[in-house]
DNA sequence: TGTACATCAGTGAACGCGCGTTCACTGATGTAC
DNA sequence: TGTACATCAGTGAACGCGCGTTCACTGATGTAC
């Protein structure tokens, strides 16, 4: 995911890119509006039954349209799914960026990041499952999803400039070079062992949220609020965040 | 999951419970055989297309039976799914137990446990997704799955008796009591802060495996072998495993 | 050991359902002169 | 400003598909006497 960000950053796909110098015509506004309504209704069905329950016919029915009309907006069911995936990554990314921007200091930023991710996931469980759950069989995510998927890693990377590198830590095998590649994209100048530890924390953060959301914690660390808070501090220590 | 283990341990559901004092008749043997064939074919379809692609008609077709015949073996599609879930938990549990039994020492045991879980997951990705991926919408796992699901946690718990408790570590809010409940089931006598850290490592282990399997590491820590090995050591340190 | 009856595996047809996608069409909105 | 043509949104019917589950049935296997 991350290495592909390099290209995406370069050609401006990370920025909104709405473009269009002309003012939108009525038709264009209507089209944008209906596109939004289709996605909203599709999201509602996602909440009700998960990704594979998403049905173009049902969406059309709910909107009072005929099913074939949707093909004016999305060439196929998979394209609608892709749009939802991109929206989900962007929504999570924006929520995280906003939360982190509100606080000062790397450790506070890490806490804000973790709680933003968890909060968003609990508020949008099916959208979370769509992007971090088991892959939808037969669906291949296109390149367009790469940049939005990188927003949370970019936020985490931005916290690493405050981490004192400390003494060099030996890293096994490919980990050094992989960490360097990641560092170039999200945390230029950070020591590879710091980046490697941050990557572990990154997987752990989402592992935890997934475990809670997918019901694996029921009967042990449930409710998970305090357990999550505890883990966030452990991860901060692991990364070496000051504060 | 874990707290329910208490009951399950009590009534013997954790042990095989094949029972039946009489020798099996030819009919019984045939029935067991065909039940096995149905599950094997269903697993094959799982590999091909994921849980929601599992179709009774397709399974029957492949076995040269008529679809209604399957109802002699499983009262519904959901019951077949449940059987596959239980088999998956048991297969993962057995693989982990075997791997850990082969080594001596808690840290070596932890390493063996982690690599067994990852190895099994890579070898059986769809079965892994079935039990640790996003829940199948509309499917509610019955109590029968609880005991098999507890086998890996039990293995992890067995490693904790070798962990020196060290100075008491403050735990926030509910974490103390939750850790004590878990300790009673899988690690009697272990200090709550040790158990709490082990629970974090447990979520992290599966978080990592899920990230790798579900494609989130592509472009950063991929191939993940070395990264995984590095993380395993970090987790061992977190738990406080000697060695 | 042989017979009469009960149990159970598997058949084949049917019910009723929803799905994604295509296609020729009508009618409204936009554009160029 | 007015007209002629191009673009595009939405319709309605149809294609072809696969699914889970039920039900009355045939015929083989097991059991009790």
């Amino acid at each position: 995911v991350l290495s592909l960000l390099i290209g995406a950053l370069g050609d401006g796909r990370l920025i909104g890119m709405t473009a269009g110098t002309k003012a939108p015509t009525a038709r264009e506004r209507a089209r944008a509006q209906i596109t939004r309504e289709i996605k909203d209704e599709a999201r509602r069905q996602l909440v009700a039954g998960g990704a594979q329950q998403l049905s173009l016919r049902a969406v059309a029915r709910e909107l009072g349209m005929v099913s074939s009309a949707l093909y004016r907006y999305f060439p196929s069911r998979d394209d609608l799914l892709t749009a939802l995936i991109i929206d989900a990554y962007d929504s999570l990314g924006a929520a995280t960026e906003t939360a982190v921007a509100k606080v000062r200091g790397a450790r506070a930023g890490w806490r804000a990041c973790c709680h933003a991710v968890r909060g968003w996931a609990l508020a949008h469980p099916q959208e979370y499952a769509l992007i971090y759950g088991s892959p939808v069989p037969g669906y291949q995510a296109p390149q367009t999803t790469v940049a939005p998927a990188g927003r949370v890693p970019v936020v985490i990377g931005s916290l690493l400039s405050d981490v004192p590198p400390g003494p060099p830590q030996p890293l096994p095998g490919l980990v050094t070079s992989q960490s360097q590649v990641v560092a170039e994209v999200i945390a230029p100048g950070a020591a590879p062992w710091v980046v490697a530890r941050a990557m572990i924390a990154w997987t752990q953060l989402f592992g935890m949220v997934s475990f809670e959301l997918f019901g694996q914690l029921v009967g042990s660390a449930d409710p998970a609020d305090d357990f999550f808070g505890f883990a966030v501090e452990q991860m901060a220590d692991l990364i070496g965040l000051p504060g």
Side-chain angles (χ1 to χ4, degrees), chain A residues 37-237:
Chain A
E37 283 173 20
I38 291 173
K39 292 199 289 186
D40 286 345
E41 177 56 35
R43 257 185 288 271
R44 239 169 279 139
Q45 298 200 11
L46 221 58
V47 171
Q52 84 266 16
Q53 300 278 18
L54 176 65
S55 140
L56 290 188
R57 293 190 101 108
V59 169
R61 211 179 298 132
E62 215 61 34
L63 293 180
M65 299 168 90
V66 97
S67 67
S68 51
L70 290 198
Y71 286 81
R72 297 280 163 204
Y73 297 89
F74 297 94
S76 77
R77 183 180 175 280
D78 273 7
D79 290 275
L80 176 53
L81 251 188
T82 299
L84 295 180
I85 287 173
I86 291 174
D87 282 3
Y89 275 127
D90 273 328
S91 166
L92 169 63
T96 309
E97 287 160 10
T98 308
V100 172
K102 276 192 189 136
V103 301
R104 297 217 150 270
R107 200 174 183 103
W110 169 253
R111 285 193 192 111
C113 170
C114 291
H115 287 99
V117 168
R118 177 169 181 251
W120 185 89
L122 292 177
H124 309 88
Q126 291 291 354
E127 283 183 85
Y128 181 88
L130 189 62
I131 54 185
Y132 290 106
S134 14
V136 181
Y139 171 83
Q140 184 68 300
Q143 290 292 331
T144 348
T145 60
V146 169
R151 290 174 71 166
V152 170
V154 165
V155 169
I156 296 176
S158 72
L159 302 172
L160 299 185
S161 51
D162 291 357
V163 177
Q169 187 182 356
L171 300 175
L174 292 176
V175 176
T176 307
S177 62
Q178 291 171 340
S179 302
Q180 278 163 348
V181 170
V182 171
E184 275 172 34
V185 188
I186 65 167
W193 52 90
V194 171
V195 175
R197 294 197 309 254
M199 286 168 68
I200 292 183
W202 168 61
T203 63
Q204 184 174 356
L205 167 60
F206 284 93
M208 202 128 207
V209 171
S210 296
F211 248 42
E212 177 179 6
L213 221 64
F214 300 165
Q216 299 284 348
L217 296 184
V218 174
S220 50
D222 175 60
D225 306 71
D226 297 330
F227 181 61
F228 185 78
F230 179 60
V232 167
E233 299 307 318
Q234 300 285 326
M235 292 186 259
D237 292 342

Side-chain angles (χ1 to χ4, degrees), chain A residues 22-43:
Chain A
K22 306 242 179 179
T25 67
R27 200 181 246 172
E28 281 167 342
R29 266 182 285 111
R31 186 179 177 84
Q33 170 64 23
I34 294 185
T35 305
R36 238 176 289 125
E37 283 173 20
I38 291 173
K39 292 199 289 186
D40 286 345
E41 177 56 35
R43 257 185 288 271

